[in-house]
């Protein structure tokens, strides 16, 4: 039953980390498009972005396992599960794009 408490905490941490990464991305937009002299922390953005995506994927997998194992209900039995399955293709696309950008980035 300990896993039931970890899922919401992990997902919340990943979402908060995502908001911080969005802030870093907005700083990049300010420097590129509005002429502000801002140092973009690309390495931090890449590393933390990859961690946030991994946390979201593991949290989603953990949530699906918990529903199937502890609640003994079908995955689509709740709106929460339906929302997770709608979000899954988007998350997979973002993960693929992020990791290919990290792997093919020139230094």
């Amino acid at each position: 039953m300990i896993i039931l408490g970890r899922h919401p905490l992990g997902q919340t941490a990943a979402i908060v980390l995502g908001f911080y990464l969005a802030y870093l991305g907005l700083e990049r937009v300010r420097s590129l498009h509005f002429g502000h002299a801002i140092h973009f922390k690309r390495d931090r953005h890449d590393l933390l972005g990859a961690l946030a995506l991994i946390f979201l994927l593991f949290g989603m997998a953990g949530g699906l396992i918990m529903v199937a194992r502890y609640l003994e209900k079908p995955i689509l039995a709740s709106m929460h599960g339906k929302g997770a399955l709608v979000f899954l293709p988007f998350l997979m696309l973002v993960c693929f794009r992020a990791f290919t950008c990290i792997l093919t980035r020139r230094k």
Side-chain angles (χ1 to χ4, degrees):
M1 292 305 255
I2 293 174
I3 195 171
L4 292 174
R6 289 183 187 170
H7 171 72
L9 293 175
Q11 293 297 91
T12 303
I15 291 169
V16 169
L17 186 58
F19 281 123
Y20 172 67
L21 293 165
Y23 168 75
L24 287 179
L26 289 175
E27 292 294 310
R28 176 76 171 158
V29 168
R30 282 181 55 205
S31 70
L32 287 177
H33 300 291
F34 299 117
H36 295 263
I38 297 170
H39 176 69
F40 179 59
K41 301 171 181 106
R42 180 177 299 278
D43 292 332
R44 180 183 297 177
H45 186 77
D46 290 347
L47 175 67
L48 293 179
L51 284 175
L53 290 172
I54 289 169
F55 282 167
L56 285 172
L57 281 174
F58 278 118
M60 187 174 290
L64 294 174
I65 291 168
M66 285 188 309
V67 167
R69 185 173 211 182
Y70 295 114
L71 300 179
E72 297 176 355
K73 292 182 180 179
I75 294 169
L76 295 175
S78 69
M79 288 301 291
H80 191 79
K82 290 175 186 171
L85 289 179
V86 167
F87 184 63
L88 183 61
F90 172 73
L91 184 60
M92 295 302 292
L93 178 67
V94 170
C95 285
F96 175 75
R97 178 70 179 132
F99 289 117
T100 55
C101 283
I102 290 171
L103 293 176
T104 60
R105 187 179 66 169
R106 294 184 193 135
K107 294 208 176 196

